[in-house]
Amino acid sequence: MNTVKSISSLKKNIRNFKARNLSIGFVPTMGALHEGHLSLLRKARRENDILILSIFVNPTQFGPHEDFEKYPREEKKDKLLAQKEKVDIIFYPSKETMYPTSFLTNVTVTQITEVLCGIKRKGHFQGVTTVVCKLLNLVEPDILYLGQKDYQQAIVITKMVEDLNINAQIKICPTVREKDGLALSSRNTYLTETQRAEAPILYRSLKEAKKLSEQGELNPSEAIRLISQNIEKNGHGKIEYIECVDAKTLTPIKSFKKDAVIALAVKFGKTRLIDNIIIKVNEKTKTQT
Ligand code: AMP
């Protein structure tokens, strides 16, 4: 495994792989690797000749009052984990490498970034698309692996790749969870013991809402009501949003008659957790028959 910090060295490696016709799988992350990240690495390892992991805590996707400074940084541990997963290259750039003082460009996807997480996290998705666009230009992967955990992010990146004609296939991989259902996240370490004990209510409620729709409930408001009541009576979680949206356009749906996603963001103290569940119309028909 090779840790690469400079753009010139990364490009040299990529040129070499391309000349040898080797396929490249790419997993971009902010580090503090957990089983969620590792599941992406394992899938990418199976499906490609070369596996590239990037670790970069991207300052431009954090708001001014967010956790950029305290975001966990675990370089040594991450390198060991990456080695175990047979990563070929870790791209580990500095802030200055990604954003030299002369930097002037941003990539913006409109509309689908202005809903859900985009409402409270102004500028967040622009930070994400700008850095991911740069990384895709550098790594030139055949396949980009993203987690369903960050559903809106995956849809936004997919749209950017489509709109900007970037040559990468995208695979959105299932959310890896703790035994009690809490989606793995580098931010879970911020939770106090009480908050950690309460947090599994998010996925439990999402599953209950999905079941409700599978039992024939077509009204998304009923699903939202069920989830919010669950969370409110469970403890200290403060709901930022719970929404049922079209799986592609992320616009609110009026009925569970097409593929949808129920997405939510809930704050436990200062820690903001997100989660989602996909509701496929075909699956519903299957369950009902
Ligand atoms: P992050 O380091 O949080 O920016 O995440 C890097 C990638 O890992 C993104 O594509 C995330 O969606 C994905 N990811 C994060 N948590 C999980 C999880 N629990 N299960 C699956 N993928 C995840």
Side-chain angles (χ1 to χ4, degrees), residues 32-40 42 81 85 176-177 184:
L33 300 181
H34 53 61
E35 280 295 320
H37 300 118
L38 302 186
S39 73
L40 303 184
R42 284 174 199 143
L81 288 170
E85 302 305 332
V176 178
R177 299 176 180 282
L184 294 189

Side-chain angles (χ1 to χ4, degrees), residues 28-31 34 36-37 40 71 146-147 149-150 153 174-176 184:
T29 75
M30 298 205 298
H34 53 61
H37 300 118
L40 303 184
Y71 196 86
L146 302 170
K149 155 83 182 2
D150 301 278
Q153 170 173 284
T175 303
V176 178
L184 294 189

